[in-house]
């Protein structure tokens, strides 16, 4: 499966008027902020199923090969076969990414949307990786393995600050944020550069992302020219992470309720295409993580 550090194998507000925006800028946000919907959280059954997929023997075999390839690339001494195996640490966590609907200014659109569930994998030598899972029909399947543990680490950092908040990723600049009501707060250096050390309001954040990505949404001239892949089915097909079989079989877990979140391979493909249409290719966004 694809790693962020190397190559192949394998993808995420409230609309106010000008007057309201101005008022929010002039008055304390606690007094004038409109409620900002949070994205729907995954059900416990989904988190359990995703964890089961990540800990499946086939997935662990693939992780062993993944970490071995990293060691070889970095020139590190490999761990003797059979002495230790990679393991999954902690529970699966939801990973949210900037929503195109929010960028577009759709009324009552959450700032972020759920893209996939992630589990932290740890190698015998301490290296880490993130195992991404999505729902495929009635099962959860592993669709990608990425180096590092950004997803679980920033989710934990946000929860420590405010358990009721939503941690989300702006992949175009590889920035991680915490949404707390009407406030967007930075969790890393890229986010601090974007919104300042103390964060900003949801309205101000939407203004920034609309300026940065608003002309690259579906239907725009940018999209019609086919720049950065666009949003169409072919773009999604090109951008989608490939669900490579792990040790001969795709990892999957138990069924999840029909009413649960629609995080599927198809929606992940759409999310990958969304990254392209919002300004940067997935490869560009992931390449930033390699250098950090």
């Amino acid at each position: 499966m694809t790693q962020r550090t190397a190559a192949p194998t394998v993808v995420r507000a409230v609309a106010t008027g000008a007057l309201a925006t101005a008022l929010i800028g002039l008055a304390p946000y606690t007094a004038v902020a409109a409620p900002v919907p949070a994205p729907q959280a995954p059900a416990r059954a989904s988190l359990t199923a995703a964890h089961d997929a990540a800990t499946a023997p086939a997935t662990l075999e693939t992780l062993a090969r993944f970490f071995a390839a990293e060691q070889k690339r970095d020139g590190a001494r490999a761990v003797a076969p059979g002495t230790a195996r990679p393991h999954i640490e902690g529970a699966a966590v939801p990973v949210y990414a900037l929503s195109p609907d929010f960028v577009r200014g759709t009324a009552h659109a959450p700032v972020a949307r759920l893209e996939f569930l992630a589990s932290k994998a740890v190698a015998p030598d301490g290296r880490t990786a993130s195992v991404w899972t999505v729902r495929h029909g009635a099962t959860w399947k592993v669709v990608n393995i990425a180096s590092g543990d950004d997803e679980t680490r920033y989710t934990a950092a946000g929860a420590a600050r405010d358990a009721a908040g939503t941690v989300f990723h702006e992949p175009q600049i590889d920035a991680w944020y915490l949404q707390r009501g009407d406030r967007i707060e930075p969790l890393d250096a890229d986010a601090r550069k974007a919104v300042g050390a103390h964060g900003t309001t949801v309205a101000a954040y939407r203004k920034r992302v609309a300026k940065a990505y608003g002309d690259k949404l579906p239907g725009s001239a940018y999209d019609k020219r086919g720049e950065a892949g666009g949003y169409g089915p072919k773009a999604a097909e090109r951008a989608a992470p490939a669900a490579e079989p792990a040790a001969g079989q795709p990892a999957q877990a138990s069924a999840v309720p029909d009413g649960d979140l629609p995080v599927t391979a198809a929606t992940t493909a759409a999310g990958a295409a969304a990254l392209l249409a919002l300004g940067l290719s997935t490869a560009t966004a992931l390449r930033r993580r390699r250098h950090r």
Side-chain angles (χ1 to χ4, degrees):
M1 312 190 96
T2 335
Q3 47 182 321
R4 294 192 177 109
T5 58
T9 15
V10 154
V11 154
R12 241 120 52 163
V14 176
T16 58
L19 178 59
T21 301
L23 289 175
I24 289 175
L26 292 173
Y29 78 88
T30 52
V32 299
V36 179
Q40 185 183 359
R44 183 181 297 275
S46 294
L47 296 173
T48 299
H51 181 268
D52 290 345
T55 56
T59 303
L60 297 179
E61 285 295 328
T62 300
L63 279 167
R65 296 196 301 271
F66 176 91
F67 286 125
E70 278 202 330
Q71 287 177 323
K72 183 176 181 180
R73 187 196 65 246
D74 296 342
R77 186 174 64 181
V79 176
T83 58
R85 305 294 292 170
H87 67 277
I88 298 299
E89 186 176 283
V93 301
V95 180
Y96 301 95
L98 176 63
S99 168
D101 285 338
F102 176 75
V103 175
R104 186 181 293 110
T106 302
H108 310 301
V111 174
R113 66 183 184 186
L114 184 65
E115 293 293 330
F116 54 88
L117 302 183
S119 301
K120 179 181 177 179
V122 182
D125 66 354
R127 294 170 187 258
T128 59
S130 181
V131 179
W132 299 1
T133 52
V134 300
R135 193 172 71 183
H136 184 74
T139 63
W140 283 80
K141 293 187 177 182
V142 174
V143 295
N144 191 44
I145 295 175
S147 61
D149 62 350
D150 285 9
E151 290 78 11
T152 51
R153 181 159 48 87
Y154 286 116
T155 296
R161 188 181 298 184
D162 186 348
T166 299
V167 173
F168 72 96
H169 188 213
E170 185 183 333
Q172 297 77 20
I173 61 171
D174 195 24
W176 288 88
Y177 305 91
L178 171 66
Q179 178 192 351
R180 305 174 71 181
D182 188 50
R183 299 291 298 179
I184 302 293
E185 299 179 2
L187 290 175
D188 69 354
D190 292 306
R192 285 191 292 274
K193 183 177 179 180
V195 300
H198 302 293
T200 187
T201 63
V202 166
Y205 179 70
R206 199 200 76 79
K207 184 177 180 180
R208 187 187 74 78
V209 295
K211 181 178 179 180
Y213 315 123
D215 62 347
K216 300 173 179 65
L217 293 169
S220 65
Y222 186 88
D223 177 35
K224 291 176 180 177
R225 289 196 305 269
E227 301 283 351
Y231 260 92
K234 289 186 180 299
E237 184 178 328
R238 289 193 302 271
E244 177 178 303
Q249 295 293 329
Q252 58 183 36
S254 56
V256 294
D258 291 340
D260 202 2
L261 288 171
V263 185
T264 65
T267 57
T268 301
L275 298 188
L276 297 175
L278 281 175
L280 288 179
S281 71
T282 305
T284 301
L286 298 185
R287 191 157 53 241
R288 287 177 53 80
R289 176 156 161 179
R290 176 178 63 185
H291 292 307
R292 291 179 61 181

